[in-house]
Amino acid sequence: MKLIIAIIKPFKLDEVREALTQLGIQGLTATEVKGFGRQKGQTEIYRAAEYVVSFVPKIKIELVVNDDVVDRAVEAIQAAARTDKIGDGKIFVMDVAHALRIRTGEADTEAL
């Protein structure tokens, strides 16, 4: 099993969710986050005053998938989240040692 973490632009969330649903992935967690990288923030105007926003709003998506689905899931996220502009985000893939469904006690791949 693998944990996929993707940081994407907020307006791309529905497209990414739809792409993953088409692969048969049944669940994910999405969190509103803020951060910066090469995008370095942005300049905004509020009440006629200009100021720099150091942290850019993003969405963090987390999902655990079977090993045989990882490559297709990563490709689907990348294709759906891409705008070809700076700040499109990042995808990270990590091993998951154990998973447990609390309600039923199902473990590992059965818990997904």
Side-chain angles (χ1 to χ4, degrees):
M1 294 178 300
K2 302 289 187 199
L3 169 65
I4 300 173
I5 299 174
I7 310 297
I8 64 170
K9 292 182 176 184
F11 66 89
K12 287 294 195 169
L13 177 59
D14 287 335
E15 291 176 51
V16 170
R17 184 193 54 78
E18 181 61 32
L20 292 170
T21 300
Q22 289 178 3
L23 289 178
I25 294 172
Q26 297 179 346
L28 61 83
T29 300
T31 310
E32 293 180 7
V33 295
K34 293 181 182 182
F36 71 93
R38 292 183 184 167
Q39 199 172 359
K40 304 238 190 328
Q42 56 202 25
T43 302
E44 299 206 1
I45 297 174
Y46 178 72
R47 294 190 177 181
E50 189 174 288
Y51 64 99
V52 175
V53 177
S54 299
F55 291 95
V56 179
K58 300 285 184 177
I59 297 289
K60 178 168 77 169
I61 298 171
E62 298 170 290
L63 59 148
V64 178
V65 298
N66 287 323
D67 290 335
D68 60 335
V69 181
V70 173
D71 292 336
R72 288 184 289 145
V74 168
E75 289 168 7
I77 294 168
Q78 183 180 14
R82 175 181 274 150
T83 66
D84 289 324
K85 296 191 170 95
I86 192 167
D88 274 354
K90 298 266 188 337
I91 301 173
F92 305 97
V93 179
M94 293 168 260
D95 289 322
V96 173
H98 188 61
L100 181 72
R101 186 181 310 254
I102 294 172
R103 180 179 57 84
T104 63
E106 293 169 295
D108 299 328
T109 57
E110 288 81 26
L112 302 181

